[in-house]
Amino acid sequence: MSVLVPNSGGRTADEPVQVGQTPPVRTPGEGDPRHLLDVAMPADRLRAWVITLVIALAAGVVRFWNLGHATDEGTPVFDEKHYVPQAWQMLRNGGYEDNPGYELVAHPPVGKQLIAIGEWLFGYTPWGWRVAAAMAGTVMVLLIVRIARRLTRSTLLGALAGLLLICDGLSHVQSRVGMLDIFQAMFLLAAFACLLVDRDQVRQRMSLVFADGRIGDSVWGPRLGFRWWRFGAGIMLGLTCGVKWNGIYYIMAFGLLCVFWDVMARRSAGVRRPWSGTLLRDTLPALWSMVAIPLLVYFATWANWFASETATDRHATVVADDVGLAFLPDPLRSLLYYQLNVLDFHTHLSTPANDPHPWESKPWAWPMGMRPMLYYYENNVPGCGRASCVEATMLIGTPALWWIALPVAAWAVWRATSALDWRYGAVLVGYGAGYLPWFLNLDRQMYYFYATPLAPFLVLGIVLVLGEILGGARDHLERRKTGLLVVALYTGLVVANFVWLWPVLNGDAITPERWQAELWLPSWR
């Protein structure tokens, strides 16, 4: 199937491009509208949405399958023990926690409020405290199909991205536990999707101005009007921070990425001063959408806390001494005091030298998933055809995906720097914002589930590489058939790897021998 691409990368207006083809990389030109327009989106909009929904439905079946299984005698497992009771407390109180005695409410409210919705629907049961996470994991698959389709201009590669994310063990397990990280990953992926649409719209607006002959009316280029998709990205980033604080790194990374894209759009349109034009025309609106809006949304997530009388530190009595800032209203000073307590907790959450957590892992182990986590383990249970079986839920990134993370990252850096391929650069920014900041404090306790937001960007990087392996419409037929074979074999390997891991991703009963066979590496034990 092919689409017509007007004025794209040196092609004539009626030259077809294969849907599976990787969009061409272009060096910005001076006053050439072809450099503003990427390859057009595929024309199969209805078909693409049908495929997207079918893959999302498949993701829902996989994520929700036997969702209530694997509990600690009917109670939450691992860090569910923190967030599930807090969510239930929110449900009882009206959206806030009131646990001042222990000061263990260490994260903002959004993720726990989403868990509370499930508990409201299904009660204080495993289904109740996990259904919101399963829904978030399903939504992520829908999002990544649309994101990959927009990045590659290929419905085929978009569908492949959705399939690979379904088969990622880390995303699968995190979608089936009442913890916070899957919600953060969902919101930041939604923010990334909004920025991609905004980028396309900006370049379309620039191309219209160029076509009208108005690009030289100002040395700074045109004003671009209100950008609703960038505004939407700001809302999503605010919700990201409303789940966990490290969302602030995505605000910084995505904000800089957005501004850089604006500079490149103006430069490609032939604006005489693209950098100063972006500074003058785009920077203040970008700060509003990508900084002020997330901040306002973050404070809005505390609305129930502000409306309460008994929430944690709602009326802290030592605010004046510990915080100061007497000009602020008392509620804001109390919230600031609370936030400083939380900051102190995270700052001093270090690994004890003589008693490290048995499943702790540092960030250098995350790209290849070298140190997974055991969430649940029970032996001497029935169900595998023997009197004594093993049930275990282990957080493992599917090796067929995660073990190629480093070469994929190296290729992405090469393509982004040597070929100026903006798509690889965007994926690296998303991956790096979720990974590199963890190296700032290596004494802190860290666990593999912190890598949850990395999974979709790893999948996107792999899909970009698979798109290059598939080849383009101008490649020889035999070359394209070979590329299709390689992609099909790799996809089959990922699916088979996921199926093999299925019992230990879901806590199914297996024989002790099968349990040992699942532990491929010494670091997995």
Side-chain angles (χ1 to χ4, degrees), residues 35 103 113 153 230 232 236 254 271 274 280 317 326 335 392 397 490:
H35 299 308
E103 289 285 358
Q113 289 169 344
R153 302 312 203 232
R230 187 172 62 180
M236 293 298 105
F254 286 176
V271 172
L280 181 67
T317 58
L335 181 62
Y490 175 74

Side-chain angles (χ1 to χ4, degrees), residues 106-138:
H107 292 291
V110 172
K112 290 165 285 187
Q113 289 169 344
L114 292 174
I115 295 173
I117 293 174
E119 293 176 338
W120 173 64
L121 291 171
F122 298 100
Y124 196 73
T125 65
W127 255 86
W129 65 65
R130 291 172 180 170
V131 66
M135 183 58 67
T138 303

Side-chain angles (χ1 to χ4, degrees), residues 167-183:
C167 295
D168 170 41
L170 181 142
S171 301
H172 178 75
V173 173
Q174 289 301 114
S175 299
R176 295 170 54 83
V177 292
M179 293 169 60
L180 306 181
D181 304 84
I182 197 68
F183 302 118

Side-chain angles (χ1 to χ4, degrees), residues 194-334:
C194 289
L195 289 181
L196 287 178
V197 180
D198 175 72
R199 178 188 179 276
D200 282 353
Q201 286 193 350
V202 164
R203 299 178 83 84
Q204 289 168 0
R205 293 180 188 183
M206 282 287 188
S207 68
L208 291 176
V209 173
F210 186 94
D212 289 342
R214 296 184 288 111
I215 201 69
D217 289 356
S218 169
V219 295
W220 298 298
R223 300 182 186 276
L224 296 171
F226 192 82
R227 293 159 61 171
W228 285 103
W229 284 104
R230 187 172 62 180
F231 178 80
I235 293 175
M236 293 298 105
L237 289 170
L239 292 172
T240 299
C241 292
V243 178
K244 280 191 169 184
W245 278 2
N246 61 319
I248 192 173
Y249 296 116
Y250 294 99
I251 291 177
M252 293 186 289
F254 286 176
L256 292 173
L257 179 66
C258 181
V259 171
F260 180 75
W261 281 348
D262 289 347
V263 172
M264 291 298 101
R266 291 183 181 275
R267 182 167 177 248
S268 297
V271 172
R272 280 174 282 174
R273 296 182 180 177
W275 286 95
S276 57
T278 298
L279 181 64
L280 181 67
R281 304 288 201 203
D282 300 324
T283 302
L284 285 180
L287 289 173
W288 166 253
S289 293
M290 302 297 287
V291 177
I293 291 300
L295 185 63
L296 292 174
V297 170
Y298 176 77
F299 278 108
T301 65
W302 292 92
N304 293 318
W305 185 92
F306 282 115
S308 75
E309 292 295 326
T310 59
T312 304
D313 288 335
R314 176 60 182 83
H315 295 287
T317 58
V318 294
V319 169
D321 294 334
D322 283 25
V323 177
L325 301 178
F327 63 90
L328 290 176
D330 285 347
L332 284 179
R333 297 174 73 209
S334 295

